[in-house]
């Protein structure tokens, strides 16, 4: 399964935060919006210093990337932009729960 395209510029994250819908679930916070231009799914990942040191932040982002790759595959999410924000428990929650929570959050936000 191929990973989705990435949001990388700070301006993209800020734009999505201002116009998108937000849903907090155990393990992550999801921000989502229909894209202004383009028809590909794009996903951004972030973890603040509140999560912990660089090792903890990178681990949380790796888990979010893999959960997104597995959970979003096969869904029709053309023209959608998502930002996944790590929380304190992202690195500790069971991976199956993280994937299930991500799927539920996507369904609720884009419904």
């Amino acid at each position: 399964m191929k990973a989705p395209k990435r949001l990388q510029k700070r301006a993209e994250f800020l734009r999505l935060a201002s116009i998108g819908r937000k849903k907090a679930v155990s393990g992550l916070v999801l921000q989502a919006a229909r894209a202004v231009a383009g028809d590909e799914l794009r996903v951004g990942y972030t973890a603040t210093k509140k999560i912990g040191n660089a090792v903890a932040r990178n681990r949380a982002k790796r888990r979010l990337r893999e959960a997104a790759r597995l959970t979003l595959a096969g869904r029709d999410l053309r023209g959608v932009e998502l930002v996944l924000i790590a929380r304190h428990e992202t690195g500790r929650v069971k991976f199956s729960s993280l994937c299930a929570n991500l799927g539920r959050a996507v369904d609720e936000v884009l419904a």
Side-chain angles (χ1 to χ4, degrees), residues 61-79:
K61 288 190 287 187
R62 279 195 311 272
R63 294 188 86 202
L64 289 177
R65 277 193 298 271
E66 185 62 11
R69 187 181 71 83
L70 296 174
T71 305
L72 303 177
R75 293 180 184 237
D76 184 22
L77 296 173
R78 289 185 305 244

Side-chain angles (χ1 to χ4, degrees), residues 2-9 12-13 16 29-31 40-46 61 64-69 72-73 77 80-85 102 106:
K2 188 178 164 190
K5 294 275 185 178
R6 298 278 300 270
L7 293 171
Q8 294 181 329
K9 295 185 185 331
E12 295 171 329
F13 283 83
L16 194 71
V29 176
L30 173 72
Q31 294 175 338
E40 289 186 89
L41 169 65
R42 294 183 354 138
V43 184
Y45 309 92
T46 186
K61 288 190 287 187
L64 289 177
R65 277 193 298 271
E66 185 62 11
R69 187 181 71 83
L72 303 177
L77 296 173
V80 174
E81 293 180 331
L82 303 173
V83 171
L84 304 177
I85 303 169
L102 174 59
V106 168

Side-chain angles (χ1 to χ4, degrees), residues 17-111:
S18 68
I19 65 168
R21 294 183 63 199
K22 188 175 181 180
K23 177 71 178 171
V25 293
S26 177
L28 65 112
V29 176
L30 173 72
Q31 294 175 338
R34 299 284 173 191
V36 176
D39 57 343
E40 289 186 89
L41 169 65
R42 294 183 354 138
V43 184
Y45 309 92
T46 186
T48 66
K49 287 190 176 184
K50 289 188 246 180
I51 302 300
N53 63 12
V55 173
R57 292 193 308 271
N58 287 328
R59 177 186 168 127
K61 288 190 287 187
R62 279 195 311 272
R63 294 188 86 202
L64 289 177
R65 277 193 298 271
E66 185 62 11
R69 187 181 71 83
L70 296 174
T71 305
L72 303 177
R75 293 180 184 237
D76 184 22
L77 296 173
R78 289 185 305 244
V80 174
E81 293 180 331
L82 303 173
V83 171
L84 304 177
I85 303 169
R87 300 179 89 180
H88 284 286
E89 65 269 12
T90 303
R92 296 186 305 268
V93 70
K94 282 181 57 175
F95 188 72
S96 59
S97 297
L98 186 65
C99 291
N101 291 341
L102 174 59
R104 186 169 38 92
V106 168
D107 291 341
E108 288 180 26
V109 168
L110 297 176

